[in-house]
Amino acid sequence: MAELNIVREHALGLAKARKIAFQWAEQAEQEFAMQCNYAQGKHTDEVDFVRSGVKGCLTVTKTHFELRAQLGFLLGTFKGTIEAEIVKNLDALLAVPATSKKDSAPAAKKRHAPRA
């Protein structure tokens, strides 16, 4: 059996991380026909997921996400592709929205024409 272990650090806190984990679970259910069970804890949440050929858990804390999964024999041959897709999806969910140019660019100074 092939195993996946993916860890992503973040500074979101548990409440925001929990929202992202819910999104990840919904996405896994819709796109990959996973059956996900979400268990909230005081300091750690866990999303157990399963489908034919895959079984795993996403652990969520206020500082990191850790995904561990076991791939069956057939899916194990696609470990690299599966891992890349999971990383891409998780990183997209964790990406901080870019600030708008208005907020990030310094304000232009206005020049006044000399008075005659």
Side-chain angles (χ1 to χ4, degrees):
M1 264 194 207
E3 292 189 19
L4 297 176
N5 189 23
I6 300 167
V7 177
R8 287 293 180 268
E9 302 291 328
H10 65 79
L12 300 171
L14 186 57
K16 288 182 183 178
R18 184 175 279 152
K19 289 179 183 179
I20 290 172
F22 275 124
Q23 288 177 319
W24 182 87
E26 287 176 352
Q27 187 177 14
E29 287 178 336
Q30 292 172 359
E31 293 183 22
F32 305 111
M34 294 281 183
Q35 180 182 0
C36 297
N37 293 312
Y38 201 105
Q40 287 187 1
K42 186 173 181 179
H43 301 289
T44 304
D45 290 0
E46 290 188 356
V47 181
D48 293 318
F49 55 92
V50 65
R51 68 163 273 177
S52 180
V54 180
K55 179 180 179 181
C57 180
L58 174 66
T59 303
V60 182
T61 73
K62 67 179 184 176
T63 61
H64 72 276
F65 286 86
E66 182 174 4
L67 184 138
R68 291 179 179 257
Q70 293 180 336
L71 304 177
F73 178 73
L74 293 176
L75 290 179
T77 60
F78 299 103
K79 177 185 176 187
T81 304
I82 292 168
E83 186 171 22
E85 187 68 20
I86 291 170
V87 166
K88 182 182 85 171
N89 291 344
L90 191 54
D91 286 348
L93 288 170
L94 285 170
V96 176
T99 57
S100 66
K101 288 182 183 179
K102 180 180 173 184
D103 293 337
S104 62
K109 292 184 180 181
K110 292 183 180 178
R111 294 187 181 189
H112 298 284
R115 293 187 183 187

